[in-house]
Amino acid sequence: MSQMRLGVFGGMFDPVHHGHLRPALEVAEQARLDHVRLLPCAIPPHRDIPSATAEQRRDMLELAVADYDMFSVDSQELERSGTSYTIDTLESLRAELPEAMLVLMLGEDAFAGLHRWHRWQEIFSLAQVVIMRRPGGTEEFDAAIDQELSARRCPIADLPGKDRGAIAMAEVTPLQISSTLIRHVVGRGEDPGFLVPEPVARYLREKRIY
Ligand code: ATP
């Protein structure tokens, strides 16, 4: 059997929206992934913006992808105590699935801050990376990031034949949707329908989060 290709997509998902899901599905198709795991991260306790609980963020993710076998929700970062570092998650996935090719999926804004992440350069020894274009994103990255990108970049269609450490940029349908926007919409008492999957919109209407 050929090597399993697993997409690893982490975020706050506070809440999950179509700007997460549609690009993720397109990346899965472009990079020929077998499966994508969505990993909600633990949020530092004193964030001063309205926030759903870890359980609510996980529940909304579960509702969002219930009909998609391609996706599943992995709550390991919520179960681990302390800050969630992507490198720890990749190491734990590597231990769980020694043969799999891990493909870390990052929005352009997340990738632009990669050089501030804990042990960030070690990510390239564990996983491939796909950057999802995001409206308002920039291709001007910090010099350290740029250096990695120029050395490692390949077309996304070639990713399945490449080793760990390869980086691809994915052109995905640009969707100017953010969790911040959804929290504002819900906070104003408006309907978040068509910005998030309908089961998530229903959950938000019922629970009155944000
Ligand atoms: P917030 O508005 O609260 O900052 P967010 O919408 O950016 O949240 P996150 O959960 O922080 O959502 O993002 C998780 C990941 O999804 C990040 O890698 C981010 O870049 C990516 N992402 C989020 N929204 C989009 C989008 N509209 N298009 C492409 N990538 C996105």
Side-chain angles (χ1 to χ4, degrees), residues 9 17-24 132 134 175-178 195:
F9 187 16
H17 52 72
H18 282 142
H20 295 124
L21 297 165
R22 180 66 210 173
M132 299 178 285
R134 184 172 185 178
L175 292 167
Q176 200 161 9
I177 305 175
S178 65
L195 292 169

Side-chain angles (χ1 to χ4, degrees), residues 155-166:
I156 192 160
D158 294 353
L159 214 53
K162 300 284 181 187
D163 289 330
R164 298 170 192 181

